[in-house]
Structure formats: structure tokens, C-alpha cells
Amino acid sequence: MYALQGLIAVYFEAEVEDDILSIFRRGEDFNYGVEFMLLLQVVQSEIGEHVEDALATLANLTVEFRSLIVQATQGQNFSNKEYTHAVVIRFPSLDALELFRRSSEYKNIWRSKFQPLMKSSLEVYFRVDPVGTDIM
């Protein structure tokens, strides 16, 4: 991660679904929606098994909320260590994002798994909306 005049870039390793066809089956779902990024700064002493457990628990939750989620990736930041981990989840709508974030399951995971490990966190979300009709 590099910060330059307010710009933050995060480079992280992530796994994607083994079944590439499932991505293509979602087709038009990738053209619009809301991208949710969660940047995590984990206390250095907690990096390892506890973080992996928290991320695995969150990954399992995204599977449970499959009807609200287009795609989810997460991993460890391998550039600068200000933010040690990142999670990126694509939702089909702002309503879907809010349903997920307000769910008791997400709040419980955040409170029990992530908060004890966190030095800080940053949530960013933005709309993804195609402009025009030309394919790039």
C-alpha cells in the first residue's frame, strides 16, 4: 500500500472461486452494483492463525449470503503494512450491502473475531455503474 497525497493503493493476494464458469454465469451482475472494500490493520502480534480464522469465518458468511453477493475476495496486503489485509465484496445493490452489514451474523463476526485483532480498519464502498454502451 502506498499513500501519496491522499491516495491509498492496496495490493493483496486473494483466492478466487475454483469454478471459473460460476463467474461467467453471473454475467450482467458484474456490470453494476456496489463494491465494498474493508481494509484491516491487524495488531502485528495477532497476524497468523487468529487472522486466518477471522477471514475464514467471514468467507463462510459470504457463502451463506450468496444471494446478496456477486463476488468476494480477501487476502493479505503484500506491499506496505499500514493495512495488513483487505476484503473486497461486490454487491448487486446498496440495499444488499446494507442487509449484509446490518445482519446479526456480520455484526457478531466483526465483534467476536475482528475487533480483538484490529489496530484500525477502513470501510470504503462505491457504486459500479457502466457508462455508455461500448465494450472496451
Side-chain angles (χ1 to χ4, degrees):
M1 185 199 71
Y2 300 98
L4 177 63
Q5 297 179 3
L7 176 67
I8 296 175
V10 178
Y11 305 96
F12 66 97
E13 298 177 87
E15 291 185 24
V16 295
E17 297 179 44
D18 289 338
D19 181 9
I20 194 75
L21 292 177
S22 67
I23 292 173
F24 291 110
R25 280 190 289 253
R26 296 202 177 241
E28 298 292 320
D29 288 346
F30 281 100
N31 290 345
Y32 58 90
V34 175
E35 199 79 10
F36 173 66
M37 297 175 62
L38 175 61
L39 304 178
L40 307 167
Q41 185 180 25
V42 175
V43 175
Q44 194 65 30
S45 63
E46 296 296 335
I47 292 179
E49 186 177 321
H50 293 113
V51 175
E52 295 306 317
D53 177 56
L55 290 171
T57 304
L58 181 59
N60 289 337
L61 183 64
T62 62
V63 171
E64 290 177 30
F65 279 81
R66 192 79 156 151
S67 63
L68 295 179
I69 294 174
V70 177
Q71 183 181 21
T73 57
Q74 60 187 28
Q76 186 169 358
N77 180 7
F78 61 83
S79 53
N80 184 299
K81 295 302 177 193
E82 183 175 344
Y83 290 104
T84 57
H85 296 77
V87 176
V88 179
I89 304 173
R90 169 72 65 90
F91 292 90
S93 67
L94 188 56
D95 290 339
L97 166 63
E98 289 304 316
L99 282 171
F100 180 77
R101 287 181 61 223
R102 292 180 181 167
S103 71
S104 60
E105 296 89 344
Y106 177 74
K107 288 178 180 180
N108 184 44
I109 288 172
W110 183 255
R111 187 173 35 257
S112 66
K113 298 282 187 175
F114 284 97
Q115 277 185 339
L117 310 175
M118 292 296 103
K119 188 171 183 180
S120 69
S121 64
L122 175 64
E123 289 185 359
V124 178
Y125 59 92
F126 55 91
R127 290 188 187 275
V128 177
D129 196 8
V131 177
T133 56
D134 295 335
I135 297 177
M136 296 171 62

Short mmCIF file of all heavy atoms in Angstrom, two decimals, residues 15-73:
data_model
loop_
_atom_site.label_atom_id
_atom_site.label_comp_id
_atom_site.label_asym_id
_atom_site.label_seq_id
_atom_site.Cartn_x
_atom_site.Cartn_y
_atom_site.Cartn_z
N GLU A 15 -7.73 -15.47 -3.18
CA GLU A 15 -8.14 -16.64 -3.93
C GLU A 15 -9.48 -16.35 -4.58
O GLU A 15 -10.30 -15.65 -4.02
CB GLU A 15 -8.29 -17.84 -3.00
CG GLU A 15 -6.98 -18.33 -2.45
CD GLU A 15 -7.15 -19.60 -1.62
OE1 GLU A 15 -8.13 -20.33 -1.84
OE2 GLU A 15 -6.31 -19.83 -0.76
N VAL A 16 -9.67 -16.87 -5.77
CA VAL A 16 -10.96 -16.76 -6.44
C VAL A 16 -11.57 -18.14 -6.52
O VAL A 16 -10.91 -19.15 -6.28
CB VAL A 16 -10.84 -16.13 -7.85
CG1 VAL A 16 -10.37 -14.70 -7.76
CG2 VAL A 16 -9.91 -16.94 -8.72
N GLU A 17 -12.82 -18.19 -6.88
CA GLU A 17 -13.52 -19.47 -6.95
C GLU A 17 -12.80 -20.41 -7.91
O GLU A 17 -12.27 -20.00 -8.94
CB GLU A 17 -14.94 -19.26 -7.44
CG GLU A 17 -15.79 -18.43 -6.52
CD GLU A 17 -17.18 -18.23 -7.05
OE1 GLU A 17 -17.78 -19.20 -7.54
OE2 GLU A 17 -17.66 -17.10 -6.97
N ASP A 18 -12.78 -21.69 -7.57
CA ASP A 18 -12.17 -22.70 -8.43
C ASP A 18 -12.96 -22.86 -9.73
O ASP A 18 -12.40 -23.15 -10.77
CB ASP A 18 -12.12 -24.06 -7.72
CG ASP A 18 -11.08 -24.07 -6.61
OD1 ASP A 18 -10.17 -23.24 -6.64
OD2 ASP A 18 -11.22 -24.91 -5.71
N ASP A 19 -14.26 -22.66 -9.65
CA ASP A 19 -15.12 -22.85 -10.80
C ASP A 19 -15.28 -21.53 -11.55
O ASP A 19 -16.11 -20.70 -11.22
CB ASP A 19 -16.49 -23.36 -10.34
CG ASP A 19 -17.44 -23.62 -11.50
OD1 ASP A 19 -17.00 -23.57 -12.67
OD2 ASP A 19 -18.63 -23.87 -11.23
N ILE A 20 -14.44 -21.31 -12.55
CA ILE A 20 -14.47 -20.06 -13.31
C ILE A 20 -15.80 -19.88 -14.03
O ILE A 20 -16.24 -18.76 -14.25
CB ILE A 20 -13.28 -20.00 -14.30
CG1 ILE A 20 -13.10 -18.58 -14.86
CG2 ILE A 20 -13.44 -20.97 -15.44
CD1 ILE A 20 -12.49 -17.63 -13.91
N LEU A 21 -16.48 -20.96 -14.36
CA LEU A 21 -17.76 -20.85 -15.04
C LEU A 21 -18.81 -20.16 -14.17
O LEU A 21 -19.69 -19.47 -14.68
CB LEU A 21 -18.26 -22.22 -15.48
CG LEU A 21 -17.45 -22.89 -16.57
CD1 LEU A 21 -18.01 -24.28 -16.88
CD2 LEU A 21 -17.44 -22.04 -17.83
N SER A 22 -18.71 -20.30 -12.84
CA SER A 22 -19.69 -19.64 -11.98
C SER A 22 -19.58 -18.13 -12.09
O SER A 22 -20.58 -17.42 -11.94
CB SER A 22 -19.52 -20.09 -10.53
OG SER A 22 -18.28 -19.63 -10.02
N ILE A 23 -18.39 -17.62 -12.35
CA ILE A 23 -18.22 -16.18 -12.55
C ILE A 23 -18.95 -15.75 -13.81
O ILE A 23 -19.67 -14.76 -13.82
CB ILE A 23 -16.74 -15.82 -12.61
CG1 ILE A 23 -16.10 -16.03 -11.24
CG2 ILE A 23 -16.54 -14.37 -13.07
CD1 ILE A 23 -14.61 -15.87 -11.21
N PHE A 24 -18.80 -16.50 -14.90
CA PHE A 24 -19.45 -16.14 -16.15
C PHE A 24 -20.96 -16.30 -16.08
O PHE A 24 -21.68 -15.56 -16.74
CB PHE A 24 -18.87 -16.96 -17.31
CG PHE A 24 -17.46 -16.58 -17.62
CD1 PHE A 24 -16.42 -17.45 -17.36
CD2 PHE A 24 -17.16 -15.34 -18.17
CE1 PHE A 24 -15.11 -17.10 -17.64
CE2 PHE A 24 -15.86 -14.98 -18.45
CZ PHE A 24 -14.83 -15.86 -18.19
N ARG A 25 -21.45 -17.22 -15.27
CA ARG A 25 -22.89 -17.39 -15.13
C ARG A 25 -23.55 -16.17 -14.50
O ARG A 25 -24.72 -15.94 -14.69
CB ARG A 25 -23.21 -18.63 -14.29
CG ARG A 25 -23.12 -19.92 -15.09
CD ARG A 25 -23.67 -21.05 -14.27
NE ARG A 25 -22.75 -21.35 -13.19
CZ ARG A 25 -21.97 -22.42 -13.13
NH1 ARG A 25 -22.00 -23.31 -14.07
NH2 ARG A 25 -21.17 -22.61 -12.12
N ARG A 26 -22.79 -15.39 -13.77
CA ARG A 26 -23.34 -14.19 -13.15
C ARG A 26 -23.47 -13.06 -14.16
O ARG A 26 -24.16 -12.09 -13.90
CB ARG A 26 -22.49 -13.76 -11.97
CG ARG A 26 -22.53 -14.83 -10.88
CD ARG A 26 -22.17 -14.24 -9.57
NE ARG A 26 -22.29 -15.26 -8.56
CZ ARG A 26 -23.11 -15.17 -7.55
NH1 ARG A 26 -23.88 -14.13 -7.41
NH2 ARG A 26 -23.16 -16.11 -6.65
N GLY A 27 -22.80 -13.15 -15.29
CA GLY A 27 -22.95 -12.25 -16.43
C GLY A 27 -23.18 -10.80 -16.09
O GLY A 27 -22.29 -10.09 -15.65
N GLU A 28 -24.40 -10.33 -16.30
CA GLU A 28 -24.77 -8.93 -16.13
C GLU A 28 -24.60 -8.43 -14.70
O GLU A 28 -24.49 -7.23 -14.48
CB GLU A 28 -26.22 -8.71 -16.59
CG GLU A 28 -26.47 -9.01 -18.05
CD GLU A 28 -25.76 -8.02 -18.96
OE1 GLU A 28 -25.74 -6.82 -18.66
OE2 GLU A 28 -25.23 -8.47 -20.00
N ASP A 29 -24.57 -9.32 -13.72
CA ASP A 29 -24.40 -8.90 -12.33
C ASP A 29 -23.10 -8.14 -12.11
O ASP A 29 -22.98 -7.34 -11.18
CB ASP A 29 -24.44 -10.10 -11.37
CG ASP A 29 -25.82 -10.69 -11.23
OD1 ASP A 29 -26.80 -10.04 -11.66
OD2 ASP A 29 -25.93 -11.80 -10.70
N PHE A 30 -22.08 -8.40 -12.96
CA PHE A 30 -20.80 -7.73 -12.80
C PHE A 30 -20.80 -6.33 -13.40
O PHE A 30 -19.86 -5.58 -13.22
CB PHE A 30 -19.68 -8.56 -13.43
CG PHE A 30 -19.24 -9.69 -12.56
CD1 PHE A 30 -19.68 -10.97 -12.80
CD2 PHE A 30 -18.39 -9.47 -11.49
CE1 PHE A 30 -19.28 -12.02 -11.99
CE2 PHE A 30 -18.00 -10.51 -10.66
CZ PHE A 30 -18.45 -11.79 -10.92
N ASN A 31 -21.84 -5.96 -14.14
CA ASN A 31 -21.87 -4.67 -14.81
C ASN A 31 -22.27 -3.52 -13.89
O ASN A 31 -22.08 -2.36 -14.24
CB ASN A 31 -22.82 -4.70 -16.00
CG ASN A 31 -22.28 -5.56 -17.12
OD1 ASN A 31 -21.11 -5.90 -17.13
ND2 ASN A 31 -23.14 -5.91 -18.04
N TYR A 32 -22.84 -3.80 -12.76
CA TYR A 32 -23.32 -2.74 -11.87
C TYR A 32 -23.35 -3.27 -10.45
O TYR A 32 -23.18 -4.46 -10.21
CB TYR A 32 -24.72 -2.27 -12.28
CG TYR A 32 -25.74 -3.38 -12.28
CD1 TYR A 32 -26.47 -3.68 -11.14
CD2 TYR A 32 -25.95 -4.17 -13.41
CE1 TYR A 32 -27.37 -4.72 -11.12
CE2 TYR A 32 -26.85 -5.22 -13.40
CZ TYR A 32 -27.57 -5.48 -12.26
OH TYR A 32 -28.45 -6.52 -12.24
N GLY A 33 -23.57 -2.37 -9.51
CA GLY A 33 -23.68 -2.79 -8.12
C GLY A 33 -22.91 -1.87 -7.20
O GLY A 33 -22.70 -0.69 -7.50
N VAL A 34 -22.47 -2.42 -6.09
CA VAL A 34 -21.71 -1.68 -5.09
C VAL A 34 -20.49 -2.50 -4.72
O VAL A 34 -20.60 -3.68 -4.38
CB VAL A 34 -22.56 -1.39 -3.84
CG1 VAL A 34 -21.73 -0.71 -2.75
CG2 VAL A 34 -23.77 -0.54 -4.19
N GLU A 35 -19.33 -1.89 -4.80
CA GLU A 35 -18.07 -2.52 -4.41
C GLU A 35 -17.79 -2.10 -2.96
O GLU A 35 -17.77 -0.91 -2.65
CB GLU A 35 -16.95 -2.04 -5.33
CG GLU A 35 -15.75 -2.90 -5.34
CD GLU A 35 -15.89 -4.15 -6.19
OE1 GLU A 35 -16.86 -4.32 -6.94
OE2 GLU A 35 -14.98 -4.99 -6.09
N PHE A 36 -17.60 -3.06 -2.09
CA PHE A 36 -17.34 -2.82 -0.67
C PHE A 36 -15.92 -3.27 -0.38
O PHE A 36 -15.56 -4.42 -0.62
CB PHE A 36 -18.34 -3.60 0.18
CG PHE A 36 -18.07 -3.56 1.65
CD1 PHE A 36 -18.17 -2.38 2.37
CD2 PHE A 36 -17.75 -4.72 2.34
CE1 PHE A 36 -17.93 -2.35 3.74
CE2 PHE A 36 -17.52 -4.70 3.70
CZ PHE A 36 -17.61 -3.51 4.40
N MET A 37 -15.09 -2.35 0.09
CA MET A 37 -13.71 -2.67 0.44
C MET A 37 -13.53 -2.47 1.93
O MET A 37 -13.90 -1.42 2.48
CB MET A 37 -12.73 -1.78 -0.32
CG MET A 37 -12.78 -1.95 -1.81
SD MET A 37 -11.71 -0.78 -2.67
CE MET A 37 -10.13 -1.25 -2.02
N LEU A 38 -12.96 -3.46 2.58
CA LEU A 38 -12.67 -3.39 4.00
C LEU A 38 -11.17 -3.55 4.16
O LEU A 38 -10.61 -4.60 3.82
CB LEU A 38 -13.42 -4.50 4.74
CG LEU A 38 -13.15 -4.66 6.23
CD1 LEU A 38 -13.53 -3.38 6.99
CD2 LEU A 38 -13.93 -5.84 6.78
N LEU A 39 -10.50 -2.49 4.60
CA LEU A 39 -9.06 -2.53 4.82
C LEU A 39 -8.82 -2.70 6.31
O LEU A 39 -9.42 -2.00 7.13
CB LEU A 39 -8.40 -1.24 4.32
CG LEU A 39 -8.66 -0.90 2.87
CD1 LEU A 39 -8.00 0.43 2.52
CD2 LEU A 39 -8.17 -2.00 1.95
N LEU A 40 -7.96 -3.65 6.65
CA LEU A 40 -7.74 -4.01 8.05
C LEU A 40 -6.28 -3.82 8.43
O LEU A 40 -5.38 -4.24 7.70
CB LEU A 40 -8.11 -5.48 8.27
CG LEU A 40 -9.50 -5.90 7.82
CD1 LEU A 40 -9.62 -7.41 7.81
CD2 LEU A 40 -10.54 -5.28 8.72
N GLN A 41 -6.06 -3.19 9.57
CA GLN A 41 -4.73 -3.10 10.14
C GLN A 41 -4.74 -3.95 11.40
O GLN A 41 -5.31 -3.57 12.42
CB GLN A 41 -4.36 -1.65 10.46
CG GLN A 41 -2.93 -1.51 10.94
CD GLN A 41 -2.58 -0.07 11.25
OE1 GLN A 41 -3.43 0.75 11.55
NE2 GLN A 41 -1.30 0.24 11.16
N VAL A 42 -4.16 -5.12 11.28
CA VAL A 42 -4.17 -6.09 12.37
C VAL A 42 -2.96 -5.83 13.26
O VAL A 42 -1.87 -5.52 12.78
CB VAL A 42 -4.11 -7.53 11.80
CG1 VAL A 42 -4.00 -8.56 12.90
CG2 VAL A 42 -5.33 -7.80 10.93
N VAL A 43 -3.16 -5.95 14.57
CA VAL A 43 -2.06 -5.84 15.52
C VAL A 43 -1.02 -6.90 15.13
O VAL A 43 -1.37 -8.07 14.90
CB VAL A 43 -2.56 -6.07 16.97
CG1 VAL A 43 -1.40 -6.07 17.95
CG2 VAL A 43 -3.59 -5.02 17.34
N GLN A 44 0.22 -6.49 15.01
CA GLN A 44 1.29 -7.35 14.49
C GLN A 44 1.35 -8.71 15.20
O GLN A 44 1.52 -9.74 14.55
CB GLN A 44 2.64 -6.64 14.60
CG GLN A 44 3.74 -7.30 13.80
CD GLN A 44 3.51 -7.27 12.30
OE1 GLN A 44 2.88 -6.36 11.78
NE2 GLN A 44 4.00 -8.27 11.60
N SER A 45 1.15 -8.72 16.50
CA SER A 45 1.25 -9.97 17.25
C SER A 45 0.10 -10.93 16.93
O SER A 45 0.18 -12.12 17.24
CB SER A 45 1.29 -9.69 18.75
OG SER A 45 0.08 -9.07 19.17
N GLU A 46 -0.96 -10.43 16.31
CA GLU A 46 -2.12 -11.27 16.00
C GLU A 46 -2.10 -11.83 14.58
O GLU A 46 -2.97 -12.62 14.22
CB GLU A 46 -3.41 -10.48 16.22
CG GLU A 46 -3.64 -10.06 17.65
CD GLU A 46 -3.83 -11.23 18.60
OE1 GLU A 46 -4.25 -12.32 18.16
OE2 GLU A 46 -3.57 -11.05 19.80
N ILE A 47 -1.16 -11.39 13.77
CA ILE A 47 -1.10 -11.90 12.39
C ILE A 47 -0.76 -13.38 12.44
O ILE A 47 0.16 -13.80 13.15
CB ILE A 47 -0.07 -11.11 11.56
CG1 ILE A 47 -0.59 -9.69 11.36
CG2 ILE A 47 0.19 -11.79 10.22
CD1 ILE A 47 0.33 -8.79 10.58
N GLY A 48 -1.51 -14.16 11.71
CA GLY A 48 -1.31 -15.60 11.70
C GLY A 48 -2.62 -16.32 11.85
O GLY A 48 -3.61 -16.00 11.20
N GLU A 49 -2.63 -17.28 12.76
CA GLU A 49 -3.78 -18.17 12.92
C GLU A 49 -5.08 -17.44 13.25
O GLU A 49 -6.12 -17.75 12.69
CB GLU A 49 -3.47 -19.19 14.02
CG GLU A 49 -4.53 -20.25 14.18
CD GLU A 49 -4.15 -21.27 15.24
OE1 GLU A 49 -2.96 -21.63 15.31
OE2 GLU A 49 -5.05 -21.69 15.97
N HIS A 50 -5.04 -16.45 14.14
CA HIS A 50 -6.27 -15.75 14.52
C HIS A 50 -6.86 -14.96 13.35
O HIS A 50 -8.07 -14.94 13.16
CB HIS A 50 -6.00 -14.81 15.70
CG HIS A 50 -5.68 -15.53 16.96
ND1 HIS A 50 -4.44 -15.47 17.56
CD2 HIS A 50 -6.42 -16.36 17.73
CE1 HIS A 50 -4.43 -16.22 18.63
NE2 HIS A 50 -5.62 -16.78 18.76
N VAL A 51 -5.99 -14.32 12.58
CA VAL A 51 -6.47 -13.56 11.42
C VAL A 51 -7.04 -14.51 10.38
O VAL A 51 -8.10 -14.26 9.80
CB VAL A 51 -5.35 -12.70 10.81
CG1 VAL A 51 -5.82 -12.01 9.55
CG2 VAL A 51 -4.85 -11.69 11.82
N GLU A 52 -6.35 -15.60 10.13
CA GLU A 52 -6.83 -16.58 9.16
C GLU A 52 -8.19 -17.14 9.57
O GLU A 52 -9.07 -17.35 8.73
CB GLU A 52 -5.80 -17.70 8.97
CG GLU A 52 -4.49 -17.24 8.35
CD GLU A 52 -4.67 -16.50 7.04
OE1 GLU A 52 -5.47 -16.94 6.19
OE2 GLU A 52 -4.01 -15.45 6.87
N ASP A 53 -8.36 -17.37 10.86
CA ASP A 53 -9.65 -17.86 11.36
C ASP A 53 -10.75 -16.82 11.14
O ASP A 53 -11.85 -17.15 10.69
CB ASP A 53 -9.54 -18.20 12.85
CG ASP A 53 -10.88 -18.64 13.43
OD1 ASP A 53 -11.49 -19.60 12.90
OD2 ASP A 53 -11.33 -18.00 14.41
N ALA A 54 -10.46 -15.55 11.43
CA ALA A 54 -11.44 -14.49 11.24
C ALA A 54 -11.81 -14.36 9.76
O ALA A 54 -12.99 -14.26 9.41
CB ALA A 54 -10.90 -13.17 11.78
N LEU A 55 -10.82 -14.38 8.88
CA LEU A 55 -11.08 -14.27 7.44
C LEU A 55 -11.85 -15.49 6.92
O LEU A 55 -12.74 -15.35 6.08
CB LEU A 55 -9.78 -14.08 6.67
CG LEU A 55 -9.09 -12.73 6.86
CD1 LEU A 55 -7.70 -12.75 6.21
CD2 LEU A 55 -9.93 -11.60 6.31
N ALA A 56 -11.53 -16.67 7.42
CA ALA A 56 -12.25 -17.88 7.00
C ALA A 56 -13.71 -17.81 7.46
O ALA A 56 -14.62 -18.21 6.71
CB ALA A 56 -11.57 -19.12 7.58
N THR A 57 -13.94 -17.31 8.65
CA THR A 57 -15.30 -17.15 9.15
C THR A 57 -16.07 -16.17 8.29
O THR A 57 -17.23 -16.41 7.93
CB THR A 57 -15.28 -16.69 10.63
OG1 THR A 57 -14.52 -17.63 11.39
CG2 THR A 57 -16.69 -16.60 11.18
N LEU A 58 -15.43 -15.07 7.90
CA LEU A 58 -16.08 -14.10 7.02
C LEU A 58 -16.35 -14.71 5.65
O LEU A 58 -17.41 -14.50 5.07
CB LEU A 58 -15.22 -12.84 6.88
CG LEU A 58 -15.80 -11.74 6.00
CD1 LEU A 58 -17.16 -11.27 6.52
CD2 LEU A 58 -14.82 -10.58 5.92
N ALA A 59 -15.41 -15.49 5.12
CA ALA A 59 -15.61 -16.15 3.83
C ALA A 59 -16.81 -17.10 3.89
O ALA A 59 -17.61 -17.16 2.96
CB ALA A 59 -14.35 -16.91 3.42
N ASN A 60 -16.94 -17.84 4.98
CA ASN A 60 -18.09 -18.72 5.14
C ASN A 60 -19.40 -17.94 5.18
O ASN A 60 -20.41 -18.38 4.63
CB ASN A 60 -17.95 -19.57 6.41
CG ASN A 60 -16.87 -20.62 6.28
OD1 ASN A 60 -16.51 -21.03 5.19
ND2 ASN A 60 -16.33 -21.03 7.41
N LEU A 61 -19.35 -16.77 5.81
CA LEU A 61 -20.56 -15.94 5.86
C LEU A 61 -20.94 -15.45 4.47
O LEU A 61 -22.13 -15.41 4.13
CB LEU A 61 -20.36 -14.76 6.81
CG LEU A 61 -21.58 -13.86 7.00
CD1 LEU A 61 -22.72 -14.63 7.67
CD2 LEU A 61 -21.21 -12.63 7.82
N THR A 62 -19.96 -15.09 3.65
CA THR A 62 -20.29 -14.64 2.30
C THR A 62 -20.94 -15.75 1.49
O THR A 62 -21.78 -15.48 0.63
CB THR A 62 -19.05 -14.09 1.55
OG1 THR A 62 -18.07 -15.10 1.40
CG2 THR A 62 -18.47 -12.88 2.26
N VAL A 63 -20.59 -16.98 1.77
CA VAL A 63 -21.23 -18.12 1.09
C VAL A 63 -22.69 -18.23 1.56
O VAL A 63 -23.59 -18.46 0.76
CB VAL A 63 -20.46 -19.43 1.35
CG1 VAL A 63 -21.23 -20.63 0.85
CG2 VAL A 63 -19.08 -19.37 0.69
N GLU A 64 -22.91 -18.05 2.85
CA GLU A 64 -24.28 -18.10 3.39
C GLU A 64 -25.16 -16.99 2.80
O GLU A 64 -26.36 -17.17 2.65
CB GLU A 64 -24.26 -17.98 4.92
CG GLU A 64 -23.70 -19.19 5.62
CD GLU A 64 -23.64 -19.00 7.13
OE1 GLU A 64 -24.49 -18.26 7.68
OE2 GLU A 64 -22.73 -19.57 7.75
N PHE A 65 -24.56 -15.85 2.49
CA PHE A 65 -25.28 -14.71 1.94
C PHE A 65 -25.13 -14.63 0.42
O PHE A 65 -25.20 -13.56 -0.16
CB PHE A 65 -24.80 -13.40 2.58
CG PHE A 65 -25.39 -13.12 3.92
CD1 PHE A 65 -24.88 -13.73 5.06
CD2 PHE A 65 -26.46 -12.25 4.06
CE1 PHE A 65 -25.42 -13.48 6.31
CE2 PHE A 65 -27.02 -12.00 5.31
CZ PHE A 65 -26.49 -12.61 6.43
N ARG A 66 -24.94 -15.77 -0.21
CA ARG A 66 -24.68 -15.85 -1.65
C ARG A 66 -25.71 -15.10 -2.49
O ARG A 66 -25.35 -14.53 -3.51
CB ARG A 66 -24.66 -17.33 -2.06
CG ARG A 66 -24.14 -17.58 -3.43
CD ARG A 66 -22.67 -17.50 -3.31
NE ARG A 66 -22.00 -18.23 -4.36
CZ ARG A 66 -20.82 -17.85 -4.77
NH1 ARG A 66 -20.25 -16.81 -4.25
NH2 ARG A 66 -20.19 -18.53 -5.67
N SER A 67 -26.95 -15.07 -2.06
CA SER A 67 -27.98 -14.39 -2.84
C SER A 67 -27.79 -12.88 -2.84
O SER A 67 -28.31 -12.19 -3.72
CB SER A 67 -29.37 -14.74 -2.32
OG SER A 67 -29.53 -14.26 -0.99
N LEU A 68 -27.03 -12.35 -1.88
CA LEU A 68 -26.78 -10.91 -1.79
C LEU A 68 -25.42 -10.51 -2.36
O LEU A 68 -25.13 -9.32 -2.46
CB LEU A 68 -26.83 -10.44 -0.33
CG LEU A 68 -28.14 -10.56 0.41
CD1 LEU A 68 -27.97 -10.07 1.85
CD2 LEU A 68 -29.23 -9.77 -0.29
N ILE A 69 -24.58 -11.48 -2.71
CA ILE A 69 -23.19 -11.19 -3.06
C ILE A 69 -22.88 -11.70 -4.46
O ILE A 69 -23.18 -12.84 -4.79
CB ILE A 69 -22.25 -11.83 -2.02
CG1 ILE A 69 -22.47 -11.15 -0.66
CG2 ILE A 69 -20.80 -11.74 -2.46
CD1 ILE A 69 -21.71 -11.77 0.48
N VAL A 70 -22.27 -10.83 -5.25
CA VAL A 70 -21.86 -11.21 -6.59
C VAL A 70 -20.51 -11.92 -6.55
O VAL A 70 -20.32 -12.97 -7.14
CB VAL A 70 -21.79 -9.98 -7.53
CG1 VAL A 70 -21.30 -10.37 -8.91
CG2 VAL A 70 -23.14 -9.30 -7.61
N GLN A 71 -19.55 -11.34 -5.81
CA GLN A 71 -18.23 -11.95 -5.69
C GLN A 71 -17.56 -11.43 -4.43
O GLN A 71 -17.77 -10.27 -4.04
CB GLN A 71 -17.35 -11.61 -6.89
CG GLN A 71 -15.99 -12.28 -6.84
CD GLN A 71 -15.12 -11.92 -8.03
OE1 GLN A 71 -15.34 -10.91 -8.68
NE2 GLN A 71 -14.13 -12.74 -8.30
N ALA A 72 -16.74 -12.24 -3.79
CA ALA A 72 -16.00 -11.83 -2.60
C ALA A 72 -14.56 -12.35 -2.70
O ALA A 72 -14.35 -13.51 -3.07
CB ALA A 72 -16.66 -12.37 -1.34
N THR A 73 -13.61 -11.48 -2.41
CA THR A 73 -12.21 -11.87 -2.35
C THR A 73 -11.61 -11.24 -1.10
O THR A 73 -12.07 -10.20 -0.62
CB THR A 73 -11.40 -11.41 -3.59
OG1 THR A 73 -11.52 -10.00 -3.73
CG2 THR A 73 -11.88 -12.09 -4.84
#
